[in-house]
């Protein structure tokens, strides 16, 4: 039986990951219109028309079985604050999934540094390892993107190396060019320890989230 690359909504205390749909376009356009300083190496649509095309593109990849995209919803405000996805499913000969990538991630400037990214990654990793039973989860970023590399390392992924000219560059002015990509991963034997570390980080955040929601 072949694997069907699809997943349900995933919900934490601060973030809800909803399957990305055209209903999210207007709010994502507002999120993307915030400060763009952190998007130097990331594909982020900036206008309402670009967001609509972007969502259509991701939905097309989803329909082709290559992507499971999510809108990231800040539960405190109920607003869409970004996107993330499962990507690049890899199966063995009998159709079982053994590896997947987490990518296509961006957050509005106001949502960065709030713990939303940490909880979203926790939800995605937990689903991949505990529901899909994968052997590894990959993450990659432009090798020059020190902010993204630090964020990936902060959720427990290990740097495996830099592959030269392996991915399309999303940096402004580099259309059609290839970039060097820093490749990170978590494997199944590491996941129990990584889960505990992430839950510890989230516990410290959740006290602050609860107090702010009570005000």
């Amino acid at each position: 039986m072949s694997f069907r690359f699809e997943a349900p909504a995933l919900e934490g205390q601060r973030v809800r990951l909803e399957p990305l749909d055209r209903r999210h376009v207007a709010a994502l356009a507002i999120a993307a219109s915030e400060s763009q300083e952190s998007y130097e190496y990331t594909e982020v649509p900036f206008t309402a028309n670009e967001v609509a095309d972007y969502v259509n593109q991701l939905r097309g990849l989803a329909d082709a079985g290559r992507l499971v995209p999510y809108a990231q919803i800040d539960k405190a405000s109920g607003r869409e604050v970004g996107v993330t996805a499962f990507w690049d499913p890899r199966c063995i000969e009998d159709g079982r999934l053994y590896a997947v990538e987490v990518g296509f991630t961006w957050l509005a400037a106001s949502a960065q540094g709030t713990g939303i990214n940490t909880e979203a990654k926790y939800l995605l990793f937990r689903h991949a390892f505990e529901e899909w039973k994968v052997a590894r989860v990959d993450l990659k970023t432009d090798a020059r993107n020190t902010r993204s590399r630090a964020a990936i390392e902060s959720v427990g992924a290990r740097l495996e190396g830099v592959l030269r000219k392996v991915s399309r560059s999303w940096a402004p002015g580099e259309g059609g060019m290839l970039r060097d990509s820093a490749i990170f991963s978590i494997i199944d034997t590491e996941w129990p320890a990584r889960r505990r570390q992430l839950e510890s980080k989230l516990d410290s955040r959740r006290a602050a989230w609860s107090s702010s929601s009570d005000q």
Side-chain angles (χ1 to χ4, degrees):
M1 181 177 179
S2 61
F3 173 76
R4 291 181 61 85
F5 195 40
E6 55 189 25
L10 304 173
E11 187 155 349
Q13 181 174 336
R14 180 62 189 268
V15 66
R16 181 172 66 255
L17 303 182
E18 293 184 357
L20 183 66
D21 192 83
R22 292 170 183 84
R23 71 182 184 278
H24 298 118
V25 166
L28 286 174
I30 294 171
S33 70
E34 296 183 15
S35 172
Q36 301 167 5
E37 290 182 4
S38 65
Y39 300 152
E40 185 177 4
Y41 301 106
T42 305
E43 181 190 25
V44 178
F46 294 128
T47 69
N49 286 338
E50 287 176 342
V51 173
D53 290 344
Y54 173 79
V55 170
N56 287 337
Q57 174 192 1
L58 297 193
R59 287 304 319 163
L61 291 170
D63 292 342
R66 299 175 58 196
L67 187 76
V68 178
Y70 287 103
Q72 301 195 66
I73 312 297
D74 178 0
K75 293 178 64 176
S77 65
R79 295 185 302 113
E80 289 89 336
V81 293
V83 169
T84 193
F86 289 117
W87 167 241
D88 190 22
R90 279 147 285 160
C91 298
I92 58 178
E93 289 80 358
D94 65 2
R96 285 181 295 159
L97 184 74
Y98 75 87
V100 70
E101 183 175 329
V102 168
F104 287 82
T105 300
W106 62 270
L107 280 172
S110 60
Q112 296 172 22
T114 63
I116 285 176
N117 178 65
T118 299
E119 190 172 51
K121 291 295 192 297
Y122 170 77
L123 295 171
L124 293 166
F125 295 163
R126 187 177 66 182
H127 187 84
F129 286 115
E130 299 180 14
E131 300 299 325
W132 286 338
K133 309 295 184 184
V134 299
R136 64 178 282 136
V137 173
D138 307 335
L139 304 96
K140 69 173 181 283
T141 189
D142 192 305
R144 300 166 293 180
N145 193 339
T146 55
R147 180 193 294 264
S148 179
R149 290 176 65 156
I152 292 171
E153 289 177 339
S154 75
V155 296
R158 177 183 296 182
L159 177 65
E160 295 186 333
V162 174
L163 299 183
R164 296 177 298 169
K165 292 192 174 181
V166 71
S167 306
R168 174 183 174 183
S169 175
W170 299 107
E174 294 185 0
M177 297 176 64
L178 296 173
R179 75 180 194 196
D180 297 348
S181 287
I183 310 298
F184 297 79
S185 72
I186 299 174
I187 60 174
D188 52 358
T189 54
E190 297 169 341
W191 171 239
R194 297 295 185 272
R195 175 172 178 159
R196 290 191 295 270
Q197 292 164 1
L198 285 169
E199 287 175 344
S200 178
K201 290 183 67 172
L202 290 170
D203 284 344
S204 64
R205 286 278 191 177
R206 284 166 179 155
W209 293 341
S210 296
S211 63
S212 64
S213 65
D214 292 339
Q215 294 175 359

